[in-house]
Amino acid sequence: MTLRKFYRLLATLGIMAVAIGLSNRFISDQPAAEVYPGKSIKIIVPFKPGGGSDRIARTVNAFTEAEFGRSFIFQYKPGGGGHLGVGYLSKSRPDGYMIATYNTPDLALGPLTGTGQYDLDDLSIIGQIAFDPNVFATLVNSPYADMTAFMADAKARPGKIRLGIAQPKGGTHLSTLAMLDQQNIDVSVVLFAGGSELATAVLGGQVDVGISGLTPFLGSMERVKFLATTGEARHPKIPNTKTMNELGIPMNSGIGRVFLAPSGIDSAKLERLRRGFRKIYATEAFKVEMRKIGNEPVWLDGEQVKANLAEFSESAARMIKKYGL
Amino acid sequence: MEQLVSGFSDILTIQTLLVMCLAITGGIVVGTLPGLSSVMAISLMLPIAYGFGPVVGLSMLGAIYTAALYGGANSAILLNTPGTPSSLPTAFDGFPLTKKGKADRALYGALFASVIGGLFGTVVLIVAFEPLANISLHFGPPEFFFLSCLGLCAVAAISEGQVLRGLLSACIGLLIALIGQDPVSGDVRFTFGIYPLISGVEIIPALLGLFSLSQAMNILEMKTSHIAPYKAEPGVIGLLAKKMGSAWATLLRGSTIGSVVGILPGAGGAIASIIAYNEARRTSKDPSEFGKGAIEGVIASESANNAQVSSSLVPMMGLGIPGNVNAAVIMGALMSFGIQPGMGLLTNSSDVAYAFMASLVVANILLLGIGIYMVKLTARVLLIPNAYLGPGVIVLCIVGAYAAAYDMYGVWVMFGTGILGFIMLKLKIPIGPMALGMVLGPIAEKGLGQSLQMAGSEASLLQFALSRPISLILFVLCVLTLFAAIYVERKTRQAEAFAKGNEDE
């Protein structure tokens, strides 16, 4: 090949590339009154695959094709207790094609503890699709008949009882500290990375009592008993266990499963997402699937979630200061 | 037994076997390519598994898991680039064998050992997953601390002849492992203001850099045209089949260690294979051969590595608590099929449970057949001239590092650790101990932190330590490992001095 021929080839290729680029532009510009969503939405799961958030998002995803025309594309961005992935979302292009799943009240804790590089105002909340109250779990042969017995023993022997808590600096950690503080109880707190690790520790007797969500215990229900649940109503899976509120100890902690978009998202697109998620939530089949994986579907509108988070932030800030977290 | 037989009859259908064959082929490829992990493959295939229904879907996921963990051995042997932490010790002897032109031996050895270890672990799973799950509960934070210490002691032991360099390397690894969030308190430390470091130095990109990128630079620097001479060795399969017979003790030990460590949630395959490797070396008639191309090293590491695949499912199936990320994803699939893993599994869904366990047996047998064929292809990597191989590996490194977290951050980690690895290579500081330090450091730290929190409710720390027999045993094993290492080193020195004395005469 002579040099001239080579240049000619290059020029042809260049023109072709420009042409393809332009035609692409025209094609993508054409639906100006764009149908949203016109392509697959990417969803960030800010944890390793296989966790609770992943399972819930995948359950939702079984219904997204019917609702949005296409399934979600999953991206796992673990780190910083999930705050890394949320921070990534808050900085992504708000074109409606990038959303994320995460938990409340941890969402409010990222900005407070400095583990999250985002502000609540950087995010639009689509809605909460499920709520998992916390449970206080202990071995079935534990000396504690109920929560009152545990609290009495903890008061009688300060520092001698081990209480396991899942997720350091997480929502459950702070709510539990607040409760212990308010009840004037001194226990040895042992922190575990997540629900699975905590459940293993409770079953192995490494801690006397543990607090986390119910799902990690679903495979070993015969071996544990639940002293109390948090949340406003009793847990449908363990209807005989009293709530903390019933015992006169106000504690509404729990994990809300929420979906987020960056705050700059076009309001019509946000509305579309909210409508879609709410519709999925309302499907009976979805509720059946959610209960299969052990989660209770509870809807909350995005604005409501945001108001709750603002309220939580105030009390959490006090706890963080008090315990130097 | 009857249920197991019906489990096999569920699996042995054309459709299931076909899906499993594809899954195993894909799994081997994913495992072989540095940077692509079994977790990635399994979660990518989840939607397809849902479409198939429980039996076929779970067989597919189990087959990918089995094959991908074996596949890691290929790159460790051929290019000295272990893609997963658990195949680290495979490279210690696998790559020297390749250098000697005996790649075939190492590759088939790894395959046979993987299959035998895999079958061993699966039998353990089938026979006793319920009681074993309960035994795993006796391992609390203090036991995990000493178990990871045992792994770290093995590091000192394997760096024979260059103990100081080995320790230096392990310490660098431990220091890097400190970057990020404190595993117990959640405090952020040593991130130097670089926000993504909050999640620590990601292990997959770091391994890619340390081993693969540094090796690629090394390949490009080589004066030879190929990384190692390679000629297919006729009759190698028969030779190795015989070898498996004579190395039965190593296989048994490796498989047992792999199964035991696999059962413990969160311990990870790296601990299993490094302890198995060290045990093989310690009990060998000629420990000085280890690190220079002893096939027993490959066999020990790989049998342990694959024995822990099935046994890592024990806590998930017995208690509903996943022991690692792979098990977590498979558990998610089970739950989506309406099956709650855990204590009620055998009463409520024994058919699917037995079919799944039967499929793991079948997967290992299929792995043998497909693996023999694939080895012939993968070994051809050695026929690629260095001028192409080096850049090819670099491309794979970048893709793998990016895919680990869908972020450029992984690529920067990979480049950073790659340059560090290259410098260490030049200074003749072994990289293996550093990688093990990075993998074991967080487990040890978390175990220690939680143990201290637990001891808060006891009168004294000593009382707490003495109240736990398993951790005392592990502590004694740590001490023994260190003394054994010193003893072995003395012995080899004496032997060397003796040999030298003979030469002088």
Side-chain angles (χ1 to χ4, degrees):
Chain A
M1 201 191 299
T2 61
L3 205 57
R4 181 173 294 182
K5 264 190 184 163
F6 178 67
Y7 281 136
R8 209 178 287 163
L9 184 72
L10 262 190
T12 328
L13 283 175
I15 291 168
M16 273 167 71
V18 170
I20 290 168
L22 280 179
S23 66
N24 245 341
R25 245 195 114 77
F26 279 122
I27 289 165
S28 62
D29 270 354
Q30 247 170 8
E34 97 174 88
V35 188
Y36 174 75
K39 57 179 182 184
S40 285
I41 296 173
K42 284 183 187 152
I43 182 162
I44 297 169
V45 177
F47 301 99
K48 284 182 190 162
S53 296
D54 185 27
R55 259 174 242 160
I56 292 168
R58 291 211 176 256
T59 306
V60 171
N61 193 38
F63 298 85
T64 45
E65 202 179 324
E67 177 58 33
F68 296 114
R70 280 175 187 81
S71 294
F72 291 156
I73 298 171
F74 278 68
Q75 286 195 357
Y76 298 94
K77 278 191 183 295
H83 294 122
L84 190 79
V86 176
Y88 182 83
L89 174 84
S90 73
K91 283 170 197 62
S92 70
R93 200 144 50 106
D95 57 2
Y97 291 103
M98 183 77 90
I99 63 171
T101 181
Y102 195 46
N103 309 325
T104 61
D106 297 62
L107 184 57
L109 290 172
L112 284 176
T113 58
T115 44
Q117 272 199 341
Y118 61 85
D119 202 78
L120 279 184
D121 292 332
D122 298 337
L123 301 160
S124 291
I125 297 166
I126 298 167
Q128 171 194 291
I129 209 146
F131 181 79
D132 300 314
N134 292 134
V135 294
F136 285 91
T138 186
L139 281 174
V140 81
N141 54 7
S142 132
Y144 305 125
D146 52 24
M147 191 69 191
T148 329
F150 163 63
M151 305 264 274
D153 193 31
K155 271 183 188 158
R157 300 190 292 143
K160 293 290 171 203
I161 294 170
R162 291 185 199 140
L163 175 67
I165 304 179
Q167 186 95 53
K169 283 191 180 184
T172 310
H173 185 190
L174 284 177
S175 314
T176 312
L177 286 183
M179 188 275 288
L180 295 171
D181 187 64
Q182 192 227 351
Q183 297 291 314
N184 245 324
I185 289 176
D186 175 20
V187 289
S188 288
V189 168
V190 187
L191 294 167
F192 295 91
S196 297
E197 214 184 287
L198 177 100
T200 315
V202 170
L203 290 169
Q206 316 293 346
V207 291
D208 297 297
V209 176
I211 175 167
S212 77
L214 178 68
T215 29
F217 291 102
L218 286 177
S220 52
M221 296 291 267
E222 297 94 327
R223 292 277 285 280
V224 282
K225 75 180 160 197
F226 300 101
L227 301 175
T229 75
T230 63
E232 278 162 13
R234 290 192 181 190
H235 200 294
K237 287 230 172 189
I238 40 170
N240 294 326
T241 305
K242 286 184 180 163
T243 67
M244 291 294 273
N245 293 352
E246 280 177 69
L247 297 165
I249 306 162
M251 188 172 177
N252 281 328
S253 73
I255 304 164
R257 313 290 186 166
V258 294
F259 290 85
L260 315 162
S263 65
I265 186 174
D266 179 69
S267 63
K269 286 181 181 174
L270 181 62
E271 252 342 285
R272 174 73 191 89
L273 286 170
R274 283 179 170 170
R275 205 173 64 232
F277 273 86
R278 173 136 210 180
K279 217 166 129 194
I280 290 174
Y281 161 79
T283 335
E284 213 36 58
F286 170 73
K287 289 182 180 159
V288 171
E289 289 298 314
M290 284 293 277
R291 289 189 183 119
K292 263 194 206 166
I293 57 167
N295 296 99
E296 196 49 34
V298 178
W299 179 263
L300 267 187
D301 282 331
E303 297 308 322
Q304 183 61 45
V305 174
K306 211 159 202 175
N308 292 354
L309 284 176
E311 194 185 317
F312 173 83
S313 294
E314 274 177 39
S315 74
R318 276 201 307 276
M319 281 298 121
I320 289 169
K321 214 168 157 193
K322 174 156 184 181
Y323 289 94
L325 294 177
Chain B
M1 197 62 218
E2 206 175 291
Q3 285 161 310
L4 189 63
V5 172
S6 88
F8 273 109
S9 63
D10 282 348
I11 295 302
L12 297 173
T13 64
I14 301 284
Q15 189 207 11
T16 319
L17 289 177
L18 212 67
V19 169
M20 283 175 75
C21 284
L22 286 175
I24 285 170
T25 314
I28 295 177
V29 172
V30 164
T32 304
L33 291 176
L36 302 188
S37 66
S38 57
V39 178
M40 223 181 269
I42 294 178
S43 31
L44 205 67
M45 296 310 279
L46 261 186
I48 298 172
Y50 290 152
F52 277 134
V55 173
V56 185
L58 289 168
S59 319
M60 181 177 87
L61 298 180
I64 298 177
Y65 185 19
T66 306
L69 267 270
Y70 149 72
N74 289 332
S75 44
I77 290 168
L78 291 175
L79 301 171
N80 199 19
T81 61
T84 53
S86 54
S87 52
L88 265 168
T90 310
F92 294 166
D93 282 289
F95 188 60
L97 277 169
T98 298
K99 282 285 217 185
K100 288 182 185 165
K102 292 178 182 167
D104 265 358
R105 236 174 250 209
L107 288 171
Y108 286 114
L111 175 66
F112 295 161
S114 290
V115 169
I116 293 170
L119 286 172
F120 187 96
T122 310
V123 170
V124 168
L125 176 77
I126 295 174
V127 172
F129 77 85
E130 278 188 315
L132 285 176
N134 289 327
I135 291 173
S136 78
L137 291 174
H138 292 292
F139 269 72
E143 287 75 25
F144 276 105
F145 171 66
F146 284 116
L147 185 68
S148 38
C149 283
L150 187 58
L152 288 169
C153 289
V155 172
I158 55 172
S159 337
E160 182 214 322
Q162 39 174 349
V163 173
L164 261 176
R165 285 188 175 152
L167 288 179
L168 173 71
S169 170
C171 285
I172 298 175
L174 287 172
L175 284 176
I176 292 179
L178 290 178
I179 295 173
Q181 266 184 310
D182 180 317
V184 180
S185 75
D187 289 336
V188 180
R189 59 209 180 162
F190 306 127
T191 59
F192 305 101
I194 303 164
Y195 181 64
L197 282 179
I198 190 173
S199 59
V201 174
E202 291 278 346
I203 200 76
I204 295 277
L207 286 182
L208 278 174
L210 276 178
F211 290 98
S212 309
L213 184 65
S214 65
Q215 180 66 357
M217 291 196 262
N218 196 30
I219 289 172
L220 289 174
E221 226 187 20
M222 281 180 188
K223 295 221 166 65
T224 51
S225 64
H226 289 78
I227 185 164
Y230 175 72
K231 221 168 80 193
E233 213 179 319
V236 68
I237 296 182
L239 187 97
L240 274 159
K242 247 186 238 155
K243 181 81 207 166
M244 291 294 137
S246 61
W248 66 271
T250 308
L251 274 171
L252 184 67
R253 217 178 295 117
S255 306
T256 312
I257 292 172
S259 304
V260 170
V261 176
I263 289 164
L264 309 173
I271 296 188
S273 40
I274 186 65
I275 294 179
Y277 178 84
N278 188 44
E279 279 306 298
R281 179 175 171 279
R282 196 177 59 80
T283 52
S284 158
K285 279 190 214 99
D286 189 9
S288 63
E289 262 308 295
F290 276 69
K292 293 174 199 147
I295 187 82
E296 284 84 4
V298 175
I299 292 174
S301 163
E302 278 307 304
S303 56
N305 178 19
N306 270 53
Q308 63 92 28
V309 169
S310 295
S311 73
S312 74
L313 301 169
V314 163
M316 185 271 274
M317 294 183 58
L319 295 164
I321 299 167
N324 64 22
V325 185
N326 289 297
V329 178
I330 294 177
M331 175 168 154
L334 271 164
M335 291 176 87
S336 299
F337 289 128
I339 297 160
Q340 172 64 51
M343 302 179 79
L345 183 64
L346 286 189
T347 30
N348 300 332
S349 327
S350 67
D351 48 342
V352 176
Y354 275 107
F356 177 49
M357 290 190 284
S359 84
L360 291 170
V361 175
V362 177
N364 274 295
I365 294 167
L366 290 176
L367 176 63
L368 182 65
I370 297 173
I372 286 180
Y373 182 70
M374 297 270 286
V375 162
K376 292 196 182 102
L377 298 176
T378 34
R380 288 177 168 264
V381 167
L382 295 176
L383 298 179
I384 303 173
N386 283 347
Y388 297 103
L389 189 61
V393 172
I394 294 176
V395 169
L396 284 176
C397 284
I398 296 174
V399 173
Y402 182 82
Y406 294 101
D407 209 51
M408 278 309 282
Y409 161 65
V411 180
W412 297 126
V413 168
M414 191 270 297
F415 274 122
T417 50
I419 290 164
L420 183 65
F422 187 66
I423 294 171
M424 287 170 72
L425 218 62
K426 291 277 134 182
L427 296 176
K428 297 221 165 24
I429 300 172
I431 304 173
M434 173 175 166
L436 284 165
M438 285 181 68
V439 176
L440 300 183
I443 304 175
E445 196 195 356
K446 190 161 77 177
L448 181 64
Q450 289 172 340
S451 301
L452 292 175
Q453 287 181 336
M454 286 171 73
S457 70
E458 301 287 325
S460 74
L461 196 60
L462 186 71
Q463 195 186 341
F464 176 67
L466 290 178
S467 67
R468 306 191 67 105
I470 300 179
S471 57
L472 279 180
I473 294 171
L474 286 168
F475 176 70
V476 172
L477 284 177
C478 288
V479 175
L480 286 180
T481 305
L482 283 180
F483 276 108
I486 296 169
Y487 173 73
V488 168
E489 174 137 5
R490 277 247 176 101
K491 210 171 69 174
T492 29
R493 275 221 189 122
Q494 275 168 357
E496 268 165 28
F498 183 69
K500 214 174 168 198
N502 278 352
E503 270 167 37
D504 287 347
E505 274 171 23

